[in-house]
Amino acid sequence: MMRIVTASLHSLAALTLLAPVLLLAQPTSSSPDEARFREIYQRQYNAVKGVASDMVVMELRDRIELVASRGSQVGAASNDRRVRGFESALLQGLQAAHCQGATATAARPSPAVIEKVNSAATAQRLRTESADVAEVSALAQRLLDSQPRERWCALKSLDDIR
Amino acid sequence: MNRRLRLLIGALVTLISGEVLCEALPRMTSQAAYKQISRTGELRRMQIDGDLDVAKMRAPTGVKRIVLREVHLEGKLFSSGGGPSVELQIVDQSRVRDIDLRNSHWKTALLIENSVVRDRAWFDGAQFDAAFTLHASVFNGQTIFRNTRFAAPVEITSSQFEPAAPVTSSVSFADARFAAPARFDRSSFKTGVRFDTTRFDADASFIGVAAPVRASWRNVIFGGDAEFRFCRLGDADFGDAEQMSVFMHLADFRGCKMTSLRLDYADIRGDMLLVNAQIAPGDLSLVQASLRGANNDFRGLHVGGRLDLQGAQIANLQLQWNEIRPALLRSSPGSDVLRPLQSRLEELKKDDEAREVSAVLAHRLNSERLAQADMPMDDKATLWFERVVWGSATGYGTRLGRIVGVALTCWLLLALPIALARQLRLGTLRSMPEKCPPLHQALTSDTLDIERGSPLTRAAHSLAYTFALMFTLPDFHLRPVEPVPGRWHAYLLLIRGIGVCLLALIALTLAKVSPIIQAVLGKIVG
């Protein structure tokens, strides 16, 4: 009985945490903000189609640098450290999501990628706006799509992407 | 020479020159290129099908530079270790697909001139101990100098950074270090440029630099002079409370055109020159900035948006109030901004401009006091009275023309009822008594000549009498004829009272705007 209650509580907590992400992934519930998010995401995702992966990494780094330069918390780490920290957190997050048996979702934008982008930004205390998250998620998704799973899972840094 | 022959020759010349232009360059491998360089130190008119490793370039003894002249490198220029043994020059319409010199360490100079780099120009983390020059070259892909160290002079001049779609990233010099003078004169950065957290230990020159979208110098230290003369920038950002920039010496923005300029919290220790700078349609923000130079010159500055000087400390400011007035007022400046401006204009002996600022300051102080929630009602009423009577009528004692206009309008309006009234008649004193009765006092008909003149005469008398009553003309001969109804008596007293008030306002305004009267008053008081 106790186990059932604990499992139910865990499920409830997981649902509460995932609810915003799931809502974002629903194509039917389209608020103006969400429609704009999707538009930016799709535009960025399509724009870098055919661009070499290492150049996509640089595009992503540029976006993060821009967000970091928009204003840091006083006393926070330098921009460079925060950019690198973001990349590292994003890579680890995406590896955790895609390399531990879970199957990649075909949905675009992928809720998992958006969530990892958001959590990496939060970890570095970056002040992201919706448009930033959309662009960075699209670039991260493009990188994810460009690499075979084994190679992606073996990456130590985004600089290793060729 | 007939026309046909000329046409034929023209066509032949066109064909031949086209042939020359389209002529494929001789091709060689990377290995052959290394050999050629080791023999002559130069590659000329060659297409190299592969990558070139600068660490493998060895010039022959006695040759001081390796020159790639009109070379098309279809691979990438990279470094597996350090740079070449001698200076490397890539010149004369050379084309390079990629440059990837990330984290390389160069002890010799690098020059790229009149050439094109197509996809990547990556210099992140590289260190250049000798001169670094990019001149009149075009970069069509991603260009990155993030964290690059330059120990010797840098010249990135007359070059165009124009990434082709889909590349949208700006050229980044973030965290770069320039130990010697750096010049970026007349270069253009189509997708923007970022120098965030860069250090310039010596002079930095951005004369005529163009970045139509965005240019960012947040958290930068300019150790020498920073010259931005005649720049063409979009949104130029020099930081804010969290990422402020420091100018140790001159900050020269003369003749610059920018969409907006942010210098919040900037610490500018040398002269700050904004002469003839144009910032439109955006704002110029100097919030909490500290301008400590001997000459901070804002003359000729045009700001299309708001000029925000909140909390700014500006020493030795040179300005024309009329030039900055509209933009400054758009930012609703507080008394803390206006008071130092007024003092500075007084210091500069620009009395008219100082007076204008004093009017704006008085209005602002009035508004600030009225905005206080705990202000008693009677004080508020006094402030409103001051605002309407002193502020609106005289521009807080700065607009002599306005108060004279108000007085004349009052005169005409107040004379109108007298001209139209049947109950109030005016007569001329038969003889001027020794002690004249007051102007508002009605007299009996035996002391006055009562004319039955035309309406025009009556109107003229009414105007003359009202004027005399308002402005207390001595020995005036017109008086009302008894009997005068009670309400007309009150009306005449009212005219008198209004006249006295207007006279007082004119006198006070005159005392404020006229240097002669000020001097006379000064003598009387002093």
Side-chain angles (χ1 to χ4, degrees):
Chain A
M1 183 65 184
M2 197 60 194
R3 247 188 225 173
I4 294 167
V5 171
T6 314
S8 307
L9 281 173
H10 281 170
S11 310
L12 192 66
L15 272 173
T16 313
L17 284 171
L18 281 172
V21 176
L22 290 171
L23 276 173
L24 204 58
Q26 290 293 322
T28 47
S29 58
S30 57
S31 65
D33 285 351
E34 192 189 319
R36 186 169 147 65
F37 182 94
R38 282 177 179 284
E39 185 204 324
I40 295 168
Y41 178 94
Q42 287 300 340
R43 192 174 59 225
Q44 185 64 66
Y45 187 72
N46 294 329
V48 290
K49 189 177 183 179
V51 175
S53 301
D54 57 346
M55 290 178 81
V56 176
V57 172
M58 292 300 179
E59 289 285 308
L60 185 137
R61 192 166 289 158
D62 179 77
R63 298 297 188 287
I64 300 304
E65 198 175 82
L66 185 64
V67 174
S69 75
R70 213 178 278 148
S72 63
Q73 313 284 337
V74 173
S78 69
N79 285 356
D80 183 47
R81 195 177 291 277
R82 295 166 82 202
V83 173
R84 294 288 173 178
F86 174 90
E87 287 180 11
S88 173
L90 179 64
L91 179 61
Q92 282 174 23
L94 291 174
Q95 282 176 332
H98 291 265
C99 304
Q100 290 169 4
T103 50
T105 170
R108 297 287 182 275
S110 157
V113 172
I114 295 168
E115 194 230 320
K116 298 303 171 196
V117 167
N118 276 326
S119 54
T122 308
Q124 296 304 319
R125 299 165 78 187
L126 293 171
R127 291 174 188 161
T128 49
E129 292 166 5
S130 174
D132 302 322
V133 177
E135 283 198 334
V136 173
S137 300
L139 292 167
Q141 186 67 58
R142 191 50 89 183
L143 286 175
L144 202 55
D145 295 348
S146 71
Q147 304 293 307
R149 189 185 167 109
E150 300 75 41
R151 176 148 180 70
W152 180 264
C153 297
L155 286 174
K156 296 271 181 275
S157 147
L158 291 184
D159 283 329
D160 297 336
I161 290 177
R162 293 283 177 267
Chain B
M1 201 186 297
N2 66 29
R3 191 163 170 266
R4 278 187 185 176
L5 189 61
R6 266 189 284 173
L7 276 173
L8 186 67
I9 291 168
L12 276 171
V13 167
T14 310
L15 274 173
I16 291 164
S17 59
E19 188 67 26
V20 168
L21 284 175
C22 300
E23 187 191 342
L25 296 175
R27 303 169 82 146
M28 68 181 349
T29 62
S30 307
Q31 292 308 319
Y34 295 137
K35 273 187 190 167
Q36 171 89 1
I37 289 167
S38 66
R39 276 203 307 274
T40 64
E42 182 171 318
L43 285 178
R44 186 188 288 259
R45 299 202 72 248
M46 287 289 173
Q47 176 173 323
I48 300 164
D49 298 322
D51 300 340
L52 268 187
D53 183 354
V54 291
K56 290 182 182 169
M57 292 180 180
R58 294 277 174 265
T61 318
V63 171
K64 291 190 176 164
R65 61 183 67 89
I66 295 166
V67 182
L68 308 188
R69 204 180 292 280
E70 207 184 324
V71 167
H72 293 186
L73 176 60
E74 289 305 313
K76 73 177 175 192
L77 184 78
F78 74 104
S79 170
S80 61
S85 54
V86 292
E87 178 182 353
L88 174 62
Q89 293 188 352
I90 301 170
V91 295
D92 290 353
Q93 313 298 330
S94 289
R95 288 188 212 164
V96 181
R97 193 192 71 191
D98 292 316
I99 294 178
D100 185 356
L101 295 175
R102 284 178 291 173
N103 303 311
S104 60
H105 187 168
W106 288 56
K107 292 187 186 302
T108 54
L110 171 63
L111 165 75
I112 301 176
E113 188 175 293
N114 289 317
S115 297
V116 177
V117 180
R118 202 180 72 201
D119 287 345
R120 299 167 180 80
W122 290 351
F123 299 91
D124 329 15
Q127 179 158 341
F128 294 92
D129 293 344
F132 180 91
T133 308
L134 306 179
H135 178 68
S137 293
V138 178
F139 295 80
N140 286 327
Q142 286 175 331
T143 309
I144 301 161
F145 292 92
R146 198 177 285 119
N147 224 359
T148 309
R149 300 284 187 269
F150 298 96
V154 172
E155 288 189 23
I156 300 178
T157 50
S158 302
S159 292
Q160 293 168 37
F161 297 86
E162 297 186 341
V167 176
T168 55
S169 53
S170 44
V171 178
S172 178
F173 288 88
D175 290 295
R177 298 286 180 276
F178 297 88
R183 307 186 72 87
F184 298 86
D185 303 347
R186 282 170 287 282
S187 283
S188 73
F189 300 89
K190 185 183 162 193
T191 52
V193 63
R194 205 154 51 233
F195 287 90
D196 300 340
T197 326
T198 297
R199 300 283 179 273
F200 294 95
D201 293 338
D203 293 348
S205 171
F206 299 89
I207 295 168
V209 80
V213 183
R214 187 177 52 237
S216 177
W217 284 268
R218 295 171 67 87
N219 193 24
V220 171
I221 294 178
F222 294 96
D225 291 346
E227 298 174 69
F228 293 86
R229 283 190 302 281
F230 308 109
C231 68
R232 298 286 178 269
L233 302 176
D235 296 317
D237 186 357
F238 287 82
D240 51 25
E242 294 172 340
Q243 298 188 329
M244 54 167 260
S245 289
V246 179
F247 296 76
M248 303 298 282
H249 295 283
L250 174 72
D252 185 356
F253 289 88
R254 280 178 291 178
C256 244
K257 282 187 179 170
M258 291 165 269
T259 307
S260 69
L261 172 60
R262 179 155 65 169
L263 280 156
D264 293 351
Y265 287 83
D267 182 1
I268 303 172
R269 300 175 191 184
D271 294 351
M272 168 70 166
L273 306 179
L274 279 163
V275 177
N276 295 332
Q278 290 188 37
I279 298 156
D283 304 335
L284 166 55
S285 180
L286 283 156
V287 172
Q288 299 290 344
S290 171
L291 279 62
R292 300 192 249 165
N295 179 25
N296 294 306
D297 201 339
F298 285 26
R299 284 175 294 188
L301 169 68
H302 167 76
V303 182
R306 297 177 311 138
L307 169 58
D308 197 343
L309 297 177
Q310 189 211 325
Q313 302 286 327
I314 307 177
N316 307 310
L317 178 62
Q318 298 286 341
L319 77 157
Q320 298 281 357
W321 168 247
N322 287 338
E323 289 169 350
I324 66 161
R325 182 180 179 275
L328 187 69
L329 295 188
R330 277 193 282 272
S331 71
S332 306
S335 51
D336 58 322
V337 171
L338 293 164
R339 197 172 281 116
L341 271 182
Q342 187 196 347
S343 307
R344 179 59 184 159
L345 286 165
E346 282 166 357
E347 233 176 80
L348 293 170
K349 305 283 178 215
K350 294 186 172 185
D351 295 336
D352 292 347
E353 296 178 39
R355 234 181 349 261
E356 296 242 348
V357 180
S358 78
V360 180
L361 174 62
H363 187 75
R364 170 55 55 188
L365 284 169
N366 187 286
S367 302
E368 283 173 2
R369 281 191 219 134
L370 280 171
Q372 287 172 11
D374 54 347
M375 169 90 46
M377 277 311 289
D378 53 339
D379 286 355
K380 273 200 175 173
T382 312
L383 286 170
W384 271 111
F385 181 77
E386 181 192 324
R387 194 186 183 108
V388 173
V389 175
W390 183 232
S392 302
T394 71
Y396 296 93
T398 61
R399 308 258 186 228
L400 185 62
R402 191 191 289 179
I403 183 59
V404 169
V406 168
L408 291 177
T409 310
C410 286
W411 166 49
L412 293 174
L413 289 175
L414 293 170
L416 200 62
I418 296 175
L420 297 174
R422 298 256 172 225
Q423 303 95 323
L424 189 71
R425 291 178 302 156
L426 295 172
T428 314
L429 283 169
R430 283 186 184 146
S431 62
M432 194 61 75
E434 215 161 272
K435 193 180 175 200
C436 247
L439 277 159
H440 62 274
Q441 190 181 322
L443 301 178
T444 51
S445 52
D446 54 341
T447 55
L448 298 169
D449 283 335
I450 302 164
E451 294 173 34
R452 303 230 173 254
S454 64
L456 202 64
T457 314
R458 182 176 170 77
H461 277 178
S462 304
L463 282 171
Y465 175 69
T466 312
F467 190 88
L469 189 61
M470 281 178 82
F471 304 117
T472 329
L473 289 194
D475 302 333
F476 193 70
H477 57 279
L478 285 173
R479 291 290 185 283
V481 183
E482 278 192 341
V484 174
R487 63 174 189 279
W488 278 106
H489 191 70
Y491 183 66
L492 295 179
L493 281 172
L494 176 73
I495 291 177
R496 187 131 211 202
I498 290 173
V500 168
C501 287
L502 287 170
L503 270 181
L505 290 175
I506 290 171
L508 285 170
T509 308
L510 203 57
K512 241 186 150 179
V513 299
S514 165
I516 298 166
I517 291 179
Q518 275 175 4
V520 170
L521 284 175
K523 280 203 171 170
I524 293 167
V525 174

